[in-house]
Amino acid sequence: VGPLFVTLMNRFRPGLLKEVAVIYAIVSVGVMACLLLAFLWSHTSLIAGTFHSIPFLILTFFLALVDCTSSVTFLPFMMQLQPQYTNTFFIGEGLSGLIPALIALGQGSGISSCTNVSYVVNITTGSETVESTIFQLETRYLPPNFSTLIFFLFMTGMMLVCLLAFFFLTRQPRVWELSQQHLFPSNIVLNSFDQILDEGADLQLSRGCSFSKDPKAPGDILPQKVSYSLTQLTLIYLLITWVNALTNGVLPSVQSYSCLPYGHTTYHLAATLSSVANPLACIVAMFLPSRSLTLMVILTMAGTGFGAYNMAIAVMSPCPLLQQSQWGDAIIVLSWVLFTGTLSYMKVMAGVILRSRSRSALVWYGVLEQLG
């Protein structure tokens, strides 16, 4: 709902929707949703004779709205900042998944142990009844280290930090404002593909040159423009759609099936280390940037291969390959780490390429991320 609304507004009423105001609104909604979840997540309402978690469902919808709409607003906003902010944006995006995952692991919810429980039973033999003690292994779930209230309050704190960070970002010098102060106000090159997608009145923000305040600083050197054909841009967008389909929808839904047969420890390692691989790949992309389409295709194929292995193991669950072997544990963890790392690096590459194109290109990046 959110991305559709923002995209249609940018297409048919360009300039009417103020990006900064929209971001403030959606992050504020995220803060309120997390805060209310902390106190209302367990409340139920009687509807048609059955209890339903109405507050939980409604607030989860608003959190999903925040998550999805951020994809089509945060990235276009980065167009107004210096190019180096794009890589750090992707690092932050990876950390936003890693930090809650670490907190969830620290909570320890769902961890179980086998306990030998004794029962006293009456055994009747003929006319005699004798008491006997039998022992039986049962699964006992350990209580979490901290409550759900604490977890959601932590999430509220993260959203407040996000709101504060955006407040300071809006105080940063804008790329398009700085470019207007220099001698390159007309450095706008229309591209046929961008015209097909969406330009409108946002052209004034789309291709401003990057300058730092110090005229002698290295940042004054204009980044080299790389032109891409319509076919190449179509390939980039198709790769973005495919990669986001794998990383956002297809593979995360089967991670438990592919890892839990190897044990809880293996599952926790795969979930945590793959979350670490995301921001780590973004950091690598910051120091080793690349705009090679060949490399982008190779990384996509490699990530797809690791994803195919993860999916195959999930299909074999609960009796996958090498289940009783340490090699099986190591391979599935490594496969998840490499799957996340290679495709995260690819997404940063695509974001950097589209950042050099136009604001509308980043809008469509966010749209395709949600479609994936």
Side-chain angles (χ1 to χ4, degrees), residues 152-165:
F152 279 125
L153 287 179
F154 175 81
M155 299 299 294
T156 304
M158 278 192 62
M159 292 300 299
L160 284 172
V161 171
C162 177
L163 186 62
L164 183 64

Side-chain angles (χ1 to χ4, degrees), residues 24-288:
Y24 270 125
I26 63 175
V27 176
S28 299
V29 168
V31 172
M32 291 304 301
C34 287
L35 182 61
L36 292 174
L37 271 172
F39 300 97
L40 301 177
W41 70 272
S42 60
H43 287 233
T44 57
S45 302
L46 186 62
I47 298 179
T50 307
F51 285 98
H52 297 276
S53 304
I54 301 301
F56 182 83
L57 293 174
I58 293 175
L59 293 172
T60 301
F61 166 80
F62 281 106
L63 273 182
L65 183 69
V66 171
D67 179 32
C68 296
T69 311
S70 65
S71 299
V72 293
T73 52
F74 286 11
L75 267 175
F77 173 79
M78 301 305 295
M79 194 72 190
Q80 302 180 24
L81 302 176
Q82 300 294 328
Q84 61 266 26
Y85 281 79
T86 304
N87 283 342
T88 52
F89 166 82
F90 284 103
I91 295 174
E93 189 176 47
L95 290 175
S96 68
L98 171 63
I99 296 175
L102 293 177
I103 298 301
L105 287 176
Q107 188 182 25
S109 179
I111 296 179
S112 60
S113 63
C114 291
T115 306
N116 199 5
V117 182
S118 61
Y119 293 96
V120 177
V121 296
N122 294 324
I123 301 177
T124 303
T125 305
S127 60
E128 294 184 5
T129 300
V130 180
E131 286 190 353
S132 178
T133 302
I134 64 172
F135 295 90
Q136 182 177 348
L137 286 176
E138 290 187 355
T139 301
R140 293 289 177 88
Y141 288 94
L142 302 179
N145 295 323
F146 52 87
S147 66
T148 308
L149 171 67
I150 300 299
F151 180 82
F152 279 125
L153 287 179
F154 175 81
M155 299 299 294
T156 304
M158 278 192 62
M159 292 300 299
L160 284 172
V161 171
C162 177
L163 186 62
L164 183 64
F166 181 69
F167 171 78
F168 286 112
L169 276 178
T170 56
R171 298 299 183 269
Q172 294 296 312
R174 308 286 182 85
V175 170
W176 66 278
E177 290 175 347
L178 293 173
S179 67
Q180 288 177 344
Q181 297 171 9
H182 290 72
L183 301 177
F184 302 94
S186 60
N187 190 21
I188 299 174
V189 182
L190 294 179
N191 181 275
S192 59
F193 189 82
D194 290 332
Q195 286 179 330
I196 293 173
L197 292 178
D198 173 28
E199 283 296 333
D202 295 322
L203 286 173
Q204 59 178 339
L205 302 179
S206 64
R207 295 175 177 81
C209 302
S210 173
F211 292 94
S212 64
K213 288 185 176 181
D214 183 5
K216 296 182 181 180
D220 283 349
I221 302 175
L222 290 175
Q224 183 180 2
K225 288 287 183 179
V226 181
S227 60
Y228 295 93
S229 66
L230 178 61
T231 303
Q232 290 173 323
L233 287 172
T234 303
L235 173 63
I236 293 172
Y237 282 117
L238 289 175
L239 291 177
I240 290 172
T241 305
W242 173 251
V243 167
N244 281 288
L246 294 181
T247 57
N248 296 345
V250 178
L251 270 300
S253 63
V254 301
Q255 186 174 37
S256 59
Y257 294 99
S258 66
C259 297
L260 278 177
Y262 297 99
H264 278 87
T265 302
T266 301
Y267 173 69
H268 288 315
L269 280 174
T272 306
L273 294 180
S274 60
S275 297
V276 172
N278 189 328
L280 186 61
C282 299
I283 293 174
V284 172
M286 183 168 63
F287 292 101
L288 298 174

